């Protein structure tokens, strides 16, 4: 990855959040917060790179049903592994994303495709703000990141773009990074996963010649409209991001201060 000196072939959108400018002009510490997709597709060559990153804690935001059907995370050393499932069985997009990534049959999702997967993705992002397991998981993730024994922290979901993306928004906003920089990091996913997306779509097309690619792309991409849906929900429900952190997630001033102390230079 340009600028960070390392890459993971089996996790092309993995990246270090270090270097972004936060509160009082202080930068996010390099090598402390690393966002990735699920780590089950890491190559043998990736493992020494992960070892060098040296995560003390690996945080997995997937539900148990997603973990069960995916290859197990490939880890090195003995990091603490924490599961904080941000998953709602009422939202079929979660299982749809897993099915797409794993090359499973998509026939069961025909109704979702007809309804519009882009709309379903925006609905998920609104749920990130208000859903019970979302609020619980994202809040606990912030508290974990505030504890020095959990750093460096590697965190992921399935594709490393939606739940991982919103947790990144929450972390960086708490650290005082401005919205323009946060949005830029969020949108980097598409360029980083361009070739992977093409491979997945081609594999699906081979299995299902009548595949509606336009119904699949919205779950393989990030889009500004998804992020906007979450930001709009924050404003609608809480009025401001500060109030969302305080009232929606229960993040205390003490935790915010600890996060900045641990993660800003």
């Amino acid at each position: 990855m340009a600028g960070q000196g390392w890459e993971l072939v089996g996790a092309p959108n993995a990246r270090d959040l270090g270097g972004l400018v936060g509160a009082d002009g202080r930068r996010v510490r390099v090598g402390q917060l690393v966002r990735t997709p699920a780590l089950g597709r890491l190559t043998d060559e990736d493992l020494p790179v992960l070892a060098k990153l040296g995560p003390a804690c690996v945080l997995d935001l997937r539900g148990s049903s997603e973990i069960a059907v995916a290859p197990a995370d490939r880890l090195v050393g003995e990091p603490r592994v924490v599961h904080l499932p941000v998953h709602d069985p009422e939202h079929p997009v979660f299982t749809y994303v897993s099915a797409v990534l794993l090359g499973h049959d998509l026939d069961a999702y025909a109704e979702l495709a007809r309804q519009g997967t882009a709309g379903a993705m925006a609905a998920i992002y609104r749920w990130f703000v208000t859903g019970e397991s979302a609020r619980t998981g994202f809040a606990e993730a912030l508290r974990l990141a505030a504890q020095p024994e959990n750093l460096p922290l590697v965190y992921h979901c399935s594709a490393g773009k939606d739940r991982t993306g919103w947790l990144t928004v929450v972390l960086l906003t708490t650290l005082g990074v401005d919205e323009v920089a946060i949005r830029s990091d969020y949108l980097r996913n598409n360029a980083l996963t361009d070739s992977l997306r093409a491979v997945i779509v081609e594999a699906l097309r081979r299995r299902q010649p009548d595949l509606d690619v336009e119904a699949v792309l919205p779950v393989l991409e990030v889009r500004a409209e998804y992020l906007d849906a979450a930001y709009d929900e924050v404003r609608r429900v809480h009025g401001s991001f500060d109030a969302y952190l305080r009232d929606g997630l229960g993040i205390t001033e003490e935790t915010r201060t600890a996060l900045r102390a641990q993660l800003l230079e």
Side-chain angles (χ1 to χ4, degrees), residues 1-130:
M1 221 132 310
Q4 68 181 15
W6 58 267
E7 65 178 346
L8 295 171
V9 174
N13 56 340
R15 52 203 187 271
D16 185 349
L17 300 176
L20 292 170
V21 178
D24 305 318
R26 298 159 65 197
R27 292 184 181 273
V28 178
R29 295 182 190 275
V30 172
Q32 297 302 294
L33 288 177
V34 178
R35 56 174 296 179
T36 72
L39 300 173
R41 297 183 184 279
L42 294 187
T43 66
D44 290 346
E45 291 72 27
D46 288 333
L47 297 181
V49 179
L50 184 63
K52 196 169 181 182
L53 291 172
C57 181
V58 175
L59 170 57
D60 189 342
L61 299 169
R62 295 175 297 173
S64 56
S65 60
E66 297 173 276
I67 294 171
V69 297
D73 275 2
R74 301 191 71 187
L75 301 174
V76 288
E78 295 184 359
R80 176 187 182 195
V81 177
V82 178
H83 290 113
L84 293 176
V86 176
H87 182 90
D88 183 3
E90 296 302 309
H91 281 289
V93 163
F94 284 120
T95 45
Y96 183 65
V97 171
S98 294
V100 170
L101 290 174
L102 297 168
H104 292 172
D105 190 353
L106 300 181
D107 287 347
Y109 303 96
E111 183 58 32
L112 177 62
R114 274 197 297 275
Q115 291 172 350
T117 45
M121 291 298 292
I124 281 287
Y125 275 70
R126 289 190 291 272
W127 178 84
F128 287 163
V129 176
T130 55

Side-chain angles (χ1 to χ4, degrees), residues 96 99-100 103-110 113 117 197-220:
Y96 183 65
V100 170
H104 292 172
D105 190 353
L106 300 181
D107 287 347
Y109 303 96
T117 45
R197 203 159 45 249
V199 168
I200 290 172
V201 168
E202 185 53 39
L204 287 169
R205 194 184 270 125
R206 276 201 304 274
R207 289 187 51 167
Q208 296 175 254
D210 59 345
L211 178 72
D212 179 2
V213 173
E214 292 307 308
V216 174
L217 283 180
V219 303
L220 292 175

Side-chain angles (χ1 to χ4, degrees), residues 164-180:
T164 298
W166 185 246
L167 176 54
T168 301
V169 170
V170 175
L171 280 164
L172 294 180
T173 302
T174 308
L175 294 173
V177 177
D178 71 53
E179 189 180 320
V180 172

Side-chain angles (χ1 to χ4, degrees), residues 122-210:
I124 281 287
Y125 275 70
R126 289 190 291 272
W127 178 84
F128 287 163
V129 176
T130 55
E132 187 175 347
S133 76
R135 289 187 297 112
T136 300
F138 293 136
E140 185 57 28
L142 260 66
R143 288 189 278 268
L144 284 171
Q147 298 165 12
E149 62 268 25
N150 293 321
L151 299 175
L153 176 68
V154 168
Y155 60 96
H156 71 75
C157 50
S158 286
K161 65 185 183 70
D162 301 311
R163 287 164 287 186
T164 298
W166 185 246
L167 176 54
T168 301
V169 170
V170 175
L171 280 164
L172 294 180
T173 302
T174 308
L175 294 173
V177 177
D178 71 53
E179 189 180 320
V180 172
I182 291 172
R183 189 175 287 267
S184 175
D185 172 76
Y186 172 78
L187 291 172
R188 280 184 68 201
N189 176 83
N190 292 346
L192 294 172
T193 58
D194 194 39
S195 56
L196 174 64
R197 203 159 45 249
V199 168
I200 290 172
V201 168
E202 185 53 39
L204 287 169
R205 194 184 270 125
R206 276 201 304 274
R207 289 187 51 167
Q208 296 175 254
D210 59 345

